[in-house]
Amino acid sequence: MIAKVHSAAYLGIEAYAVSIEVDVSHGLPQLNVVGLPDTSIKEARERVRAAIKNSGYSFPADKITVNLAPADIKKEGSSFDLPIALGILAAHEVLPLARLQQYLFLGELALDGSLRAFKGALIIANSLDSTKPFVFPELNAREACLQKNARVYGVNTLREVVEFLQDERELIPVVSDLPKNNSGSACGSMDFADVKGQEVAKRALEIAVAGGHNVLLIGSPGAGKTMLARRIPSILPPLTFEETVELTKIYSAAGHLSEHGTLMTAPPFRSPHYSISPVALAGGGSWPKPGEVSLAHHGILFLDEFPEFRRDAIETLRTPLEDGQITISRAKKHVTYPSIITLVASMNPCPCGYLTDTRRKCRCSLSQIQKYQMKISGPILDRIDLHIEVPALTYQTLKAEDPAESSFSIRERIIACRNRQTERFLKHPFRLNARMGTREIKLFARLSSEGEKLLGSAMKELRLSARAYYKILKLARTIADLEGADCLEAGHIAEAIQYRSLDRQWWH
Ligand SMILES: Nc1ncnc2c1ncn2[C@@H]1O[C@H](COP(=O)(O)OP(=O)(O)OP(=O)(O)O)[C@@H](O)[C@H]1O
Ligand SMILES: [Mg+2]
Ligand SMILES: [Zn+2]
């Protein structure tokens, strides 16, 4: 007799249906699994056998063949234990077949018949085209039910599932216990109030976070670049519910969920070390996993000591910075992960670090400086909207007792500014000013006549490129939004030009 069980798997953050056929026929007692299973599925044989016995059912002393279809997609993991066990029991007539086929099952079995969580429950609930209710291990059920309209039953043992299918036990679908509008704040103990002076850098970071603009901090050693960047999580606005789901899917695909609980409610702040490989940064591997650019989706990717990163690693950022997503190709498979990030990078202006410092003399030769700065290629630099010089603090500023503004009040302004953008881009596929294309810039970044005049003369005098022109308009849009202004005034334009120091100064 053949039993068919519905299950699923995923590649990247896309799910696909897997159908599990179990045939029990007379012959030497053995259990074979076919359909390109990897080693973990072979191990499933032993787990399934023990779990069935230890749950109090007899294991058929027949020839059992299990086929996982489609065969041409590699299946990973131990999540087919539960559907395989149920298929065997149904083929052995312990379970009613018709009832079995009304649901979709996934779950890893322990030897005693209890169920363990698997990776990717939310991906499956979110992207599988299926109307069948899910039967998942309890922990996964709570993850999957975040998907609107998903009907998910949470179970703890194989026995519970069998009794449910035999109509001897009732199960109630799991309901999401999460507030649909999370107010999760990323506030830790670090606060911008600890940073003395550096008003320009703080203001620039506020603008960067508010509009999603990439930023490069340049300054001498000890100026406070790392200190500033580490405080960004305290001003990040909460994720929307949809963003939470998107981010959780990525962490689910990366197998990182257990470290963070079931849901990624706080915006990510990723700060990989400069020794990171291109694959770890961009994503990849034989089973393509998301890299840091995707783990930072809807949040911040902080690359401290930017020129120390491998050139080939930095270059992988080109496409994701431009497109907000990255496609990884391995063999014949293509996996696309979202990567809408705000890049925050920091660097010294030269190898010794003191080129822009007024108090110490730089010892580098011109060619050393050029070589150092060339590590950041033009195309990457082009994708960075704000270039901020972080000067070394004077003794007076460091000694001053005046309290600086708290992260809390900076964050309030950022939230208000983000709300204006959300309203503006309701009909667009993005939410932040930094992601506007030239068409949107023409539509939404309208200049007052004073603003127009100022920008015109700046273009001429500073010999700005067309690209710089659009960047200034995007930045000015965010600066005006922080103020609640509709039109871009001369003041907004002037401030935006100030943040393009590399267009004008010592670079090149
Ligand atoms: N504005 C500031 N207010 C208070 N403390 C500061 C400030 N700037 C620097 N410091 C102190 O100096 C230390 C060094 O700063 P930080 O590590 O951020 O410098 P950096 O610019 O990242 O230097 P490097 O280029 O060497 O990485 C900080 O840990 C902090 O104690
Ligand atoms: Mg530093
Ligand atoms: Zn130097």
Side-chain angles (χ1 to χ4, degrees):
M1 174 171 184
I2 294 182
K4 200 172 149 191
V5 195
H6 301 288
S7 193
Y10 66 94
L11 182 61
I13 51 171
E14 297 302 326
Y16 53 91
V18 171
S19 144
I20 296 175
E21 294 152 0
V22 180
D23 175 60
V24 176
S25 56
H26 293 299
L28 279 181
Q30 57 174 313
L31 172 57
N32 282 320
V33 184
V34 294
L36 275 194
D38 69 3
T39 41
S40 60
I41 296 181
K42 283 182 189 129
E43 285 164 14
R45 287 195 302 214
E46 304 314 313
R47 286 195 301 271
V48 167
R49 194 191 303 271
I52 288 182
K53 282 187 185 155
N54 293 330
S55 300
Y57 307 103
S58 67
F59 195 88
D62 293 304
K63 182 176 177 222
I64 305 171
T65 309
V66 177
N67 180 33
L68 306 178
D72 59 339
I73 305 175
K74 185 169 177 270
K75 301 160 203 81
E76 186 195 52
S78 39
S79 49
F80 302 115
D81 290 1
L82 176 64
I84 292 174
L86 294 171
I88 292 173
L89 291 172
H92 199 42
E93 291 174 18
V94 177
L95 288 177
L97 245 186
R99 186 82 203 278
L100 181 69
Q101 286 176 349
Q102 289 164 13
Y103 304 90
L104 190 145
F105 303 90
L106 276 172
E108 177 184 338
L109 283 169
L111 298 182
D112 64 357
S114 60
L115 281 161
R116 291 202 185 117
F118 60 92
K119 285 188 279 180
L122 185 58
I123 299 177
I124 288 166
N126 178 265
S127 68
L128 190 72
D129 195 14
S130 161
T131 50
K132 295 189 177 21
F134 303 118
V135 180
F136 283 170
E138 187 77 43
L139 190 67
N140 294 128
R142 269 184 276 131
E143 183 186 327
C145 72
L146 285 170
Q147 174 58 30
K148 286 188 196 102
N149 313 326
R151 262 172 80 83
V152 196
Y153 296 97
V155 285
N156 295 301
T157 63
L158 173 62
R159 201 176 174 91
E160 269 177 47
V161 187
V162 175
E163 288 174 357
F164 169 62
L165 295 172
Q166 287 170 333
D167 241 341
E168 283 168 13
R169 173 193 287 267
E170 238 185 283
L171 292 179
I172 300 160
V174 184
V175 250
S176 162
D177 49 5
L178 273 136
K180 289 277 157 168
N181 217 338
N182 81 71
S183 56
S185 101
C187 294
S189 53
M190 285 201 256
D191 199 294
F192 273 102
D194 310 333
V195 185
K196 301 206 182 278
Q198 303 296 15
E199 299 308 333
V200 174
K202 285 187 200 170
R203 167 75 175 164
L205 290 178
E206 174 179 336
I207 295 166
V209 169
H213 305 282
N214 300 323
V215 48
L216 177 61
L217 302 171
I218 308 157
S220 48
K225 302 179 294 297
T226 305
M227 187 184 190
L228 283 160
R230 292 247 165 244
R231 279 160 180 74
I232 293 176
S234 65
I235 57 168
L236 292 177
L239 295 178
T240 63
F241 180 69
E242 284 69 27
E243 288 169 342
T244 297
V245 172
E246 272 180 43
L247 188 65
T248 304
K249 278 170 66 179
I250 297 171
Y251 278 70
S252 189
H256 282 351
L257 271 193
S258 49
E259 309 169 20
H260 296 275
T262 21
L263 255 197
M264 298 300 301
T265 50
F269 180 87
R270 306 290 298 186
S271 52
H273 187 255
Y274 56 67
S275 59
I276 190 170
S277 71
V279 165
L281 191 61
S286 59
W287 187 260
K289 281 196 171 166
E292 290 290 333
V293 280
S294 297
L295 295 172
H297 185 47
H298 292 314
I300 306 288
L301 179 66
F302 174 42
L303 303 183
D304 206 1
E305 324 265 352
F306 202 32
E308 303 299 328
F309 280 76
R310 281 170 55 174
R311 175 86 185 224
D312 53 351
I314 293 184
E315 291 303 305
T316 62
L317 296 175
R318 278 196 199 188
T319 329
L321 284 179
E322 191 85 5
D323 302 348
Q325 62 178 39
I326 184 161
T327 299
I328 306 160
S329 306
R330 282 290 171 282
K332 283 182 210 141
K333 285 193 285 282
H334 305 282
V335 178
T336 300
Y337 290 114
S339 64
I340 298 178
I341 60 163
T342 303
L343 174 71
V344 178
S346 91
M347 67 182 286
N348 299 131
C350 65
C352 87
Y354 294 102
L355 180 64
T356 50
D357 202 316
T358 46
R359 300 169 313 166
R360 268 173 85 164
K361 220 172 144 42
C362 165
R363 297 155 186 279
C364 312
S365 70
L366 191 62
S367 72
Q368 276 176 318
I369 297 173
Q370 277 173 341
K371 196 169 158 222
Y372 182 77
Q373 293 179 352
M374 288 292 281
K375 288 188 186 174
I376 316 296
S377 72
I380 290 294
L381 208 55
D382 256 345
R383 287 161 173 74
I384 297 179
D385 292 352
L386 297 109
H387 314 141
I388 307 305
E389 278 177 50
V390 184
L393 278 196
T394 60
Y395 180 63
Q396 283 94 320
T397 320
L398 203 57
K399 278 287 283 184
E401 296 289 328
D402 333 330
E405 188 180 19
S406 72
S407 292
F408 181 83
S409 67
I410 301 174
R411 185 168 180 260
E412 294 288 285
R413 281 198 298 274
I414 292 176
I415 291 175
C417 177
R418 288 266 184 112
N419 290 341
R420 285 179 69 88
Q421 297 172 67
T422 305
E423 240 169 73
R424 170 179 310 134
F425 300 129
L426 268 183
K427 295 201 177 90
H428 293 76
F430 55 87
R431 284 186 61 221
L432 295 170
N433 287 337
R435 307 216 79 84
M436 287 191 288
T438 43
R439 201 192 305 153
E440 288 86 16
I441 294 175
K442 284 196 183 115
L443 208 57
F444 297 121
R446 291 201 183 281
L447 290 150
S448 72
S449 59
E450 292 297 301
E452 183 110 48
K453 233 187 273 165
L454 180 69
L455 186 55
S457 61
M459 289 289 295
K460 254 185 251 145
E461 272 162 46
L462 302 170
R463 279 185 247 135
L464 298 179
S465 66
R467 190 169 239 141
Y469 170 81
Y470 285 116
K471 292 206 163 165
I472 288 166
L473 285 177
K474 280 198 278 185
L475 278 179
R477 180 65 273 164
T478 301
I479 294 167
D481 283 336
L482 277 164
E483 241 175 46
D486 286 327
C487 210
L488 306 190
E489 304 292 342
H492 306 137
I493 298 289
E495 188 178 352
I497 292 172
Q498 180 200 328
Y499 299 130
R500 300 286 307 166
S501 60
L502 296 190
D503 292 334
R504 305 178 259 128
Q505 288 183 18
W506 42 267
W507 212 272
H508 307 305

